[in-house]
Amino acid sequence: MRGPALACRGGVPLSPAHSNAMVSLIVNGRPYESSAASLLELLYEAEGYLDEGHAISRVLVDGAETHLDAGLLQTPTDAIHEVRVESARVKSLLLLGIGLMRQFLLETSAGIGAVALSYRMSRTAEGDDALAPVLAGLENLLEMLQGVNESYPRALLALDDDVIGLDLKMRELSRTLRTIRAARERSDWTQTADILDHQLAPAAQEWREILGQLAVEIEKAKERGRGV
């Protein structure tokens, strides 16, 4: 499984630039040298040095902690002197992410009514500011579930036995997000508010419960390639 540093980055093209200079690569305190041409290529190389069941959790480029995006990943390594990579167990990272996501969903359930009210009162700028992180967080939820399926497919299968139509619920959430965006693009603030009140609010509560069950299944499960 790709760690947070490389999650969903597989489609990012490598920079065409090449460098003959060696870059210092330090993985969990162990020093290496690399001739990788881009930061993305360097991180792929770093993954090869990780212990089994671990994924990249933290990246420091020339001493600065880095939150990677597509543009930064294409940085030629001739602009970099040192990259430090730290890792954690995949299970630990997923359980931490689930815990944070459940807190986010709790806060979303409590606050989404106020966001809907902003749209009903024609305070659209206020509504947009409050809604943007909610939509981004729910997109992250769908990405996180894909990551769970990579390393713990049986956890999702076991959960699907208890939660009828888990895959359907994921598709419904994705469709709800698309519908919200379409309503906002049409400036249909009444429909936006209705979706938030009647679809998104109950979905946030339901997904918080589902993630609680998923955490239990992951705790019991083994990782793919280790008895799954």
Side-chain angles (χ1 to χ4, degrees), residues 21-203:
M22 301 297 287
V23 181
S24 174
L25 172 62
I26 301 173
V27 180
N28 292 328
R30 299 190 298 267
Y32 303 91
E33 285 191 333
S34 172
S35 58
S38 71
L39 181 57
L40 178 61
E41 187 178 336
L42 186 71
L43 292 178
Y44 281 155
E45 184 177 325
E47 285 188 328
Y49 298 126
L50 300 182
D51 295 334
E52 183 180 3
H54 281 235
I56 293 174
S57 60
R58 189 180 184 215
V59 177
L60 292 90
V61 177
D62 289 333
E65 186 154 6
T66 302
H67 300 284
L68 301 173
D69 57 33
L72 185 60
L73 285 169
Q74 294 196 62
T75 303
T77 52
D78 56 11
I80 298 171
H81 297 291
E82 178 188 88
V83 174
R84 287 181 175 266
V85 171
E86 298 176 6
S87 71
R89 291 196 62 82
V90 170
K91 178 177 283 191
S92 299
L93 291 174
L94 285 176
L95 291 174
L96 174 61
I98 287 173
L100 293 173
M101 185 61 68
R102 294 190 75 223
Q103 179 62 33
F104 160 77
L105 291 170
L106 178 64
E107 294 169 358
T108 296
S109 298
I112 201 67
V115 180
L117 182 61
S118 295
Y119 286 112
R120 296 191 193 283
M121 300 295 291
S122 299
R123 300 197 301 266
T124 56
E126 176 183 317
D128 285 347
D129 287 344
L131 184 57
V134 172
L135 296 180
L138 293 172
E139 292 286 2
N140 287 339
L141 167 60
L142 293 173
E143 289 186 9
M144 184 179 70
L145 291 170
Q146 293 174 2
V148 171
N149 192 47
E150 287 184 25
S151 290
Y152 295 95
R154 283 190 178 175
L156 287 181
L157 288 175
L159 191 62
D160 204 24
D161 291 337
D162 298 324
V163 182
I164 297 175
L166 180 60
D167 186 62
L168 176 61
K169 292 181 186 299
M170 292 169 63
R171 292 198 301 269
E172 287 176 347
L173 178 57
S174 181
R175 183 166 57 249
T176 297
L177 298 180
R178 292 195 303 271
T179 304
I180 292 171
R181 291 193 172 94
R184 292 170 68 211
E185 288 174 2
R186 297 193 307 272
S187 298
D188 190 338
W189 310 124
T190 298
Q191 185 187 26
T192 300
D194 286 345
I195 297 170
L196 297 182
D197 278 334
H198 304 304
Q199 296 183 40
L200 199 60

